[in-house]
Amino acid sequence: MRNVCKNGFNIETIGGGIMLNIDSVEKGLVIDHIKAGKAMEIYHYLNLDKMDCSVAIIKNAKSKKYGKKDIIKVENNLDMDLKVLGFIDPNITINVIDNSVIIDKINLELPQEVENVVKCKNPRCITSIEQEIVHKFRLTDREKGIYRCVYCDTAYDKK
């Protein structure tokens, strides 16, 4: 038995189990190879909850390369700042889709600088006192993925 929902999901009942099929994206982005469990973090960083577009989040999908991965499919909205994704996970790939065909594949890397993605933990940093100041971190060691606050030089710990 197959039920087609208005949001582009197909739900099939096969042998007593339920199988969920997600339609392909006609125009938009597929954010792939997200570390399992990180999709909601990315959803919030990209402010997808504030956008008026269809978004499909697939958690713990099987992956030959990583074992498990998350995937986010975004329909029609291509105007997003994606550099933050390299900060979250530089292994993420972004497929740009048009007419249901991948027209570009973007492999991310650690961005040189990130703004308002994380906050400085140093209580003496100017960002702790002045609430309007942009939280800005600069990549200081690409190999180890170390970012430092541009104001007080405190290292950001991703753990």
Side-chain angles (χ1 to χ4, degrees):
M1 184 168 116
R2 173 178 244 154
N3 294 319
V4 179
C5 301
K6 65 180 179 178
N7 59 5
F9 294 93
N10 296 318
I11 301 172
E12 288 185 59
T13 307
I14 299 173
I18 295 176
M19 183 173 168
L20 179 67
N21 294 321
I22 299 170
D23 288 344
S24 63
V25 174
E26 190 173 312
K27 181 181 175 108
L29 300 173
V30 176
I31 305 168
D32 199 359
H33 302 109
I34 302 168
K35 185 176 179 181
K38 291 280 190 180
M40 289 309 295
E41 183 179 342
I42 290 169
Y43 179 82
H44 291 294
Y45 274 131
L46 293 177
N47 294 312
L48 294 173
D49 55 331
K50 295 174 177 67
M51 294 184 184
D52 187 28
C53 60
S54 295
V55 177
I57 298 173
I58 304 158
K59 295 184 72 174
N60 297 317
K62 290 180 183 175
S63 168
K64 291 178 185 173
K65 192 173 184 180
Y66 300 110
K68 288 183 181 180
K69 66 179 180 177
D70 290 354
I71 303 167
I72 299 176
K73 294 183 176 189
V74 183
E75 188 80 38
N76 292 331
N77 198 327
L78 300 174
D79 189 26
M80 288 187 264
D81 179 14
L82 300 171
K83 77 175 185 177
V84 68
L85 298 180
F87 175 76
I88 296 168
D89 183 353
N91 295 316
I92 290 172
T93 57
I94 300 168
N95 296 314
V96 181
I97 313 294
D98 195 11
N99 291 325
S100 300
V101 176
I102 297 173
I103 60 168
D104 194 13
K105 187 171 193 145
I106 303 167
N107 293 307
L108 298 176
E109 59 183 42
L110 292 170
Q112 191 58 41
E113 199 170 85
V114 290
E115 292 184 3
N116 290 330
V117 176
V118 292
K119 296 183 185 230
C120 185
K121 302 285 187 206
N122 181 354
R124 289 187 262 193
C125 181
I126 189 72
T127 60
S128 296
I129 301 161
E130 299 290 333
Q131 300 300 318
E132 303 83 33
I133 292 181
V134 172
H135 290 265
K136 194 183 287 190
F137 286 79
R138 189 165 288 130
L139 182 63
T140 56
D141 187 335
R142 184 169 295 281
E143 195 171 293
K144 294 180 183 174
I146 297 174
Y147 284 82
R148 293 189 174 277
C149 175
V150 298
Y151 307 108
C152 70
D153 206 39
T154 298
Y156 172 71
D157 185 6
K158 281 192 169 187
K159 296 173 188 168

